[in-house]
Amino acid sequence: MKKTGAQIFVESLVAEGIDTIFCYPGGATLNITDALGECDIRQIVVRHEQGAVHASDGYARASGKVGVSLVTSGPGATNTVTGIATAYMDSIPLVIFSCQVNTALIGNDAFQEADIVGITRPCTKHNYLVKDVKDITRIIKEAFHIARSGRPGPVLVDIPKDVSASLGEFKYPDRVHIRSYQPTYIGHTGQVQKAMKAIASAKRPVLYTGGGIILSDASHELTKFAEALSIPVTNTLMGLGGFPGNHHLFLGMLGMHGTYAANMAITESDLIIAMGARFDDRATGKTDEFAPHAKVIHIDIDPTSISKNIKVDIPIVGDTKNVLHKMLEISAEDKESFKDFQASIDEWLKKIAKWKKDFPLTYQRNGGLKPQYVIEKIYELTKGKAIIATEVGQNQMWTAQFYKFLRPRTMLTSGGLGTMGYGFPAAIGAQVAFPKSLVIDIAGDGSIQMNIQELATAVQHNLPVKVVILNNGYLGMVRQWQELFYKKRYTWTCLPSPDFVKVAEAYGAAGYRIDKEEEVDKVLKEAFRNNQPAFIDVHVDPLECVYPMVPAGASLKEMLLV
Amino acid sequence: MRHIISVLVENEFGVLSRISGLFSGRGFNIESLCVAETLDPTVSTMTIVTTGDDAIIEQILKQLNKLINVIKVIDFRDTDYVSREMVLVKVNADEKTREEILRMVEIFRGKIIDVSQKTYTIMITGDEEKLRAFLALIRPLGIKDLVRTGPVAMARGDKTIKMKDKQPKGGNGDG
Ligand SMILES: Cc1ncc(C[n+]2csc(CCOP(=O)(O)OP(=O)(O)O)c2C)c(N)n1
Ligand SMILES: [Mg+2]
């Protein structure tokens, strides 16, 4: 039986097991919008297309499934670009469907035409223009396969309106075959053995792990491996939750706002075991002085990440989970090589314990309500069981420092691109995936206004996301740099905000305000118990800074402490 | 360091833009780029001449491999290969110089493919060195116009490009 392209599209999503999409309509989506009207796929209509992509991204990060969004041509499509670039930098599996003007009009500067395939080429893992109705099923199958396999990433599929109107057959392929795409999952055994030899003879080893651990679902294996050999672990921002934040082997995050113990451990280490991390400049500081005494083992599924920023001694291309399995096997079998290992790293562990004790993360409690205190309270009240999204800026760094992430997929943050406005829609997406979980966006007064319109989406769909606004009256992170490096000239960064309680109420959500430390516990408890979406406007010390801090371009050991 | 890389790609629209976008976006050099269909019409070869130290070339090769439409990347660093380029060059040719030009074209086994009152248009093919030598000789006569194709390259001997699928590599390192 012949079906329209739009019907074929919908059936393809169903065949792919998609039960939720985030979307926004327009002229070019109408065929598909109409066809979706008659199916069981949950459709969350957002208020801005950037919100749709971030929501699908939050859904993907929290659930491990591919996030799906659908938007119209032209401005609808261009509005997705920040969302796509955010997911691309953090390797999040998304499929973004954009609709396009009629094939015959493409290239004519038609109304609401944008070359979205051209625009998104450098920020997607791959993208497609569907030129013929008979290609829809194959392209959708490939798009989902590419998005979720290898190093995951966003894939955009552009569907012209005449293609969604044309008639064709629905037959969903059961296999994908892309001759030019075969990711490497299995780590080379010889290299893994070499790595294990290096580990056996190390005296000051550190595991440096990133988002790859979470993407490959390897946090259980990582924890087992670290425990088996008592190797301390530091996480990148993207890696938080990949190793329990309350574990005695955990050093905290490394890098620009990393802990003293993590940055010193890297600096004095003789062996860095990097897994699913890409040596981003915010993590390494000055690369010439990064881990100057260490050999580097690097395990990553993406060969381009290896030896890109830091020269690697033992590269292993493969899936971190798979490679960790092999490493665990070798460490269990090769008792001989590891028999003196514990004794030989003992001094190292003692040194680290002392760093942790002497220089813990801390903040001064004088002068007003401290944002760090609020985050500690959120951790205490949620016992680390909430799903936390963040915006970007100081709010993000304090969350990374003071909330202990105990499980993977509980930290949703724009690490690579640093997108203000990411956290709130991402939290909405996570809440859609986990309706019963407590989902909190830890926000800044600046960032929340970048996608504040999504409160209407949350209210409409009864998604009880809690937004804790650490309201310092500043674009705080930029202000911090001005304080430290631009003689306290706060140009552009002191911005008045609306009354967030009233804003929340106007949207039909709950609004709370906190001014004093004594109110924090009570009001947060009440807001978290409430089954409505809520803004909690917390007026914190406006001039608080994030410490420790490694100034941009300095080496990790040059930390400014509190 | 100058390097020739051959890239086998799916013969689809947009692929050239993916490759050139990769080079411009990451700040890699393209000295020349030459694209055409292969024996298999679903596949094109791009021959790219680029420059960079070993680490940069390594990144270029890996980044090219990472593109979904790239079937195979051939780095001629580790292979014995032949390469040829074609140049069209229009030179001043008057009564005094015509003879000399003709002789040089013959020595270099080129061809005169167009003639006017005042000019010759010469076609010449060869490897980089030969072309450089020829152009150096002809330059004093007055080059009016010059177009180069950029080189194409192929492995020497029996070696051919295997068109099998991209294999998952047992990453003994850099994949
Ligand atoms: C879309 C976007 N624009 C600009 C920036 C640059 N930027 C980084 S942090 C920051 C300030 C954020 O202010 P706020 O949300 O109030 O957070 P705070 O640092 O005060 O916690 C800015 C402007 C960014 N990261 N993203
Ligand atoms: Mg602020």
Side-chain angles (χ1 to χ4, degrees):
Chain A
M1 198 186 80
K2 294 271 186 196
K3 296 183 169 164
T4 66
Q7 286 166 328
I8 293 171
F9 170 86
V10 173
E11 289 188 32
S12 300
L13 290 193
V14 172
E16 199 55 50
I18 303 308
D19 52 20
T20 308
I21 65 170
F22 300 88
C23 46
Y24 203 81
T29 69
L30 276 170
N31 299 327
I32 290 175
T33 303
D34 196 50
L36 278 165
E38 291 164 17
C39 78
D40 294 333
I41 295 174
R42 184 159 189 211
Q43 296 149 45
I44 310 284
V45 181
V46 295
R47 299 301 185 269
H48 185 300
E49 290 88 350
Q50 184 187 349
V53 182
H54 288 327
S56 72
D57 172 315
Y59 178 91
R61 292 191 206 218
S63 70
K65 296 193 248 177
V66 179
V68 183
S69 53
L70 192 157
V71 301
T72 193
S73 67
T78 55
N79 268 349
T80 64
V81 172
T82 303
I84 296 174
T86 302
Y88 184 64
M89 288 291 266
D90 291 345
S91 310
I92 305 305
L94 301 184
V95 174
I96 303 95
F97 294 101
S98 54
C99 295
Q100 184 55 278
V101 301
N102 282 339
T103 321
L105 292 176
I106 292 178
N108 284 2
D109 302 320
F111 177 64
Q112 293 196 329
E113 181 191 355
D115 174 14
I116 197 63
V117 170
I119 290 169
T120 59
R121 220 170 257 140
C123 63
T124 49
K125 183 169 172 187
H126 196 54
N127 60 16
Y128 293 91
L129 171 64
V130 185
K131 287 180 152 177
D132 192 313
V133 65
K134 71 177 194 314
D135 296 330
I136 292 182
T137 50
R138 175 185 57 83
I139 288 177
I140 291 181
K141 181 84 186 174
E142 287 183 8
F144 279 95
H145 172 67
I146 291 171
R148 70 164 78 88
S149 58
R151 178 177 178 176
V155 178
L156 177 133
V157 179
D158 200 24
I159 309 174
K161 195 169 178 185
D162 55 317
V163 172
S164 60
S166 331
L167 295 177
E169 302 277 347
F170 173 76
K171 190 168 177 300
Y172 204 63
D174 41 36
R175 285 188 61 239
V176 190
H177 178 73
I178 308 172
R179 63 174 165 183
S180 54
Y181 175 65
Q182 289 293 334
T184 306
Y185 287 93
I186 315 274
H188 187 278
T189 307
Q191 289 293 104
V192 178
Q193 282 163 344
K194 219 160 128 190
M196 289 306 289
K197 275 223 179 72
I199 293 172
S201 59
K203 303 236 158 16
R204 300 184 302 281
V206 180
L207 280 154
Y208 150 65
T209 69
I213 294 292
I214 293 162
L215 291 166
S216 86
D217 199 13
S219 50
H220 176 67
E221 287 77 5
L222 170 63
T223 309
K224 262 175 77 177
F225 182 74
E227 284 174 350
L229 298 178
S230 297
I231 301 178
V233 181
T234 179
N235 283 167
T236 66
L237 178 63
M238 293 305 301
L240 292 172
F243 188 77
N246 57 358
H247 199 286
H248 69 278
L249 288 169
F250 190 54
L251 299 170
M253 182 173 75
L254 83 164
M256 182 173 274
H257 293 296
T259 63
Y260 184 84
N263 287 344
M264 289 310 289
I266 291 282
T267 304
E268 299 207 357
S269 166
D270 68 350
L271 182 72
I272 306 282
I273 310 154
M275 295 190 181
R278 59 188 176 81
F279 297 90
D280 173 86
D281 53 278
R282 284 293 189 267
T284 61
K286 188 176 185 182
T287 47
D288 297 344
E289 286 166 37
F290 178 80
H293 314 294
K295 260 195 174 177
V296 178
I297 298 169
H298 190 181
I299 301 153
D300 203 286
I301 198 157
D302 179 3
T304 69
S305 289
I306 293 177
S307 290
K308 182 171 68 182
N309 301 333
I310 295 282
K311 214 185 137 328
V312 170
D313 301 289
I314 306 176
I316 303 174
V317 177
D319 175 53
T320 52
K321 189 184 181 90
N322 175 285
V323 174
L324 270 163
H325 264 295
K326 278 195 185 153
M327 293 171 75
L328 275 164
E329 268 168 35
I330 296 176
S331 67
E333 281 163 15
D334 191 2
K335 295 243 160 49
E336 185 52 32
S337 300
F338 284 93
K339 75 176 193 306
D340 301 325
F341 184 72
Q342 292 312 322
S344 67
I345 65 165
D346 187 53
E347 208 176 307
W348 176 235
L349 295 180
K350 283 193 182 122
K351 193 165 197 179
I352 285 174
K354 187 158 162 37
W355 282 330
K356 280 167 75 167
K357 188 163 149 287
D358 292 348
F359 300 98
L361 285 170
T362 173
Y363 57 96
Q364 254 127 40
R365 291 288 283 272
N366 58 351
L369 173 52
K370 297 291 176 173
Q372 299 94 328
Y373 174 81
V374 179
I375 291 167
E376 284 180 333
K377 266 285 164 203
I378 294 174
Y379 175 71
E380 198 186 301
L381 291 176
T382 60
K383 303 185 181 69
K385 286 190 180 137
I387 297 172
I388 304 286
T390 79
E391 299 295 341
V392 169
Q394 294 180 315
N395 57 83
Q396 179 184 36
M397 290 299 112
W398 285 319
T399 306
Q401 292 178 330
F402 289 93
Y403 191 94
K404 295 189 183 74
F405 292 91
L406 305 181
R407 287 180 300 123
R409 304 196 176 283
T410 55
M411 166 62 148
L412 320 176
T413 196
S414 169
L417 199 66
T419 307
M420 290 170 69
Y422 165 80
F424 183 36
I428 290 176
Q431 188 81 77
V432 170
F434 295 101
K436 299 219 171 67
S437 298
L438 177 57
V439 182
I440 303 168
D441 175 34
I442 298 180
D445 48 315
S447 300
I448 189 58
Q449 295 197 72
M450 286 216 174
N451 274 314
I452 201 163
Q453 76 287 344
E454 298 310 331
L455 188 50
T457 313
V459 169
Q460 181 191 347
H461 293 277
N462 298 317
L463 300 165
V465 170
K466 314 299 173 193
V467 182
V468 177
I469 303 171
L470 300 176
N471 190 340
N472 51 13
Y474 282 104
L475 300 176
M477 184 55 93
V478 184
R479 188 207 60 78
Q480 173 167 347
W481 285 50
Q482 290 173 325
E483 175 180 332
L484 298 174
F485 312 117
Y486 292 86
K487 304 212 167 88
K488 302 194 178 178
R489 291 191 295 267
Y490 298 144
T491 313
W492 297 6
T493 46
C494 182
L495 302 180
S497 291
D499 180 335
F500 289 114
V501 174
K502 282 193 185 147
V503 170
E505 287 168 358
Y507 272 102
Y512 300 88
R513 179 176 168 131
I514 298 176
D515 292 281
K516 297 197 214 68
E517 215 177 273
E518 308 86 82
E519 300 162 352
V520 175
D521 186 80
K522 182 168 153 283
V523 176
L524 284 183
K525 264 189 195 145
E526 193 184 326
F528 293 171
R529 222 182 297 123
N530 186 335
N531 58 7
Q532 271 183 296
F535 277 4
I536 304 120
D537 183 15
V538 191
H539 286 249
V540 296
D541 182 352
L543 296 179
E544 187 66 18
C545 287
V546 183
Y547 290 112
M549 177 173 189
V550 177
S555 80
L556 287 187
K557 62 177 188 292
E558 297 166 55
M559 277 167 280
L560 309 173
L561 299 170
V562 187
Chain B
M1 273 275 277
R2 194 165 166 279
H3 282 278
I4 303 191
I5 298 166
S6 269
V7 191
L8 298 188
V9 299
E10 296 289 350
N11 189 0
E12 284 172 14
F13 75 95
V15 178
L16 175 60
S17 152
R18 286 182 207 283
I19 305 257
S20 60
L22 188 155
F23 275 76
S24 63
R26 293 187 180 271
F28 302 143
N29 268 319
I30 299 187
E31 269 191 15
S32 72
L33 170 68
C34 199
V35 195
E37 211 174 276
T38 62
L39 259 185
D40 173 352
T42 66
V43 178
S44 297
T45 307
M46 296 191 182
T47 312
I48 302 172
V49 177
T50 182
T51 50
D53 60 23
D54 280 352
I56 291 176
I57 299 296
E58 208 55 56
Q59 260 302 304
I60 293 177
L61 298 172
K62 287 178 185 174
Q63 294 284 357
L64 283 169
N65 251 314
K66 186 172 165 180
L67 292 176
I68 307 284
N69 289 144
V70 168
I71 303 167
K72 195 178 175 99
V73 181
I74 303 148
D75 169 19
F76 285 108
R77 272 185 305 187
D78 342 305
T79 343
D80 208 6
Y81 68 96
V82 286
S83 80
R84 291 294 181 271
E85 179 176 3
M86 185 171 86
V87 181
L88 300 183
V89 53
K90 191 173 289 187
V91 292
N92 289 323
D94 54 30
E95 274 132 52
K96 278 179 275 164
T97 56
R98 283 187 185 217
E99 270 304 307
E100 194 190 342
I101 296 173
L102 277 176
R103 230 181 7 253
M104 276 194 282
V105 169
E106 199 171 318
I107 293 169
F108 281 84
R109 292 195 217 145
K111 252 188 191 157
I112 298 195
I113 55 172
D114 190 39
V115 183
S116 78
Q117 296 276 334
K118 293 184 196 144
T119 61
Y120 277 162
T121 301
I122 304 161
M123 175 187 90
I124 182 148
T125 56
D127 59 16
E128 219 198 328
E129 259 165 66
K130 175 178 164 188
L131 297 183
R132 200 183 304 129
F134 179 77
L135 292 173
L137 283 170
I138 212 98
R139 185 157 285 130
L141 302 173
I143 295 178
K144 305 200 58 128
D145 210 349
L146 181 138
V147 187
R148 309 177 69 137
T149 57
V152 289
M154 195 177 258
R156 275 188 191 278
D158 299 339
K159 244 180 149 175
T160 55
I161 297 169
K162 303 269 177 345
M163 277 306 286
K164 63 176 196 264
D165 295 359
K166 218 184 243 179
Q167 292 299 314
K169 285 151 209 125
N172 67 349
D174 310 279

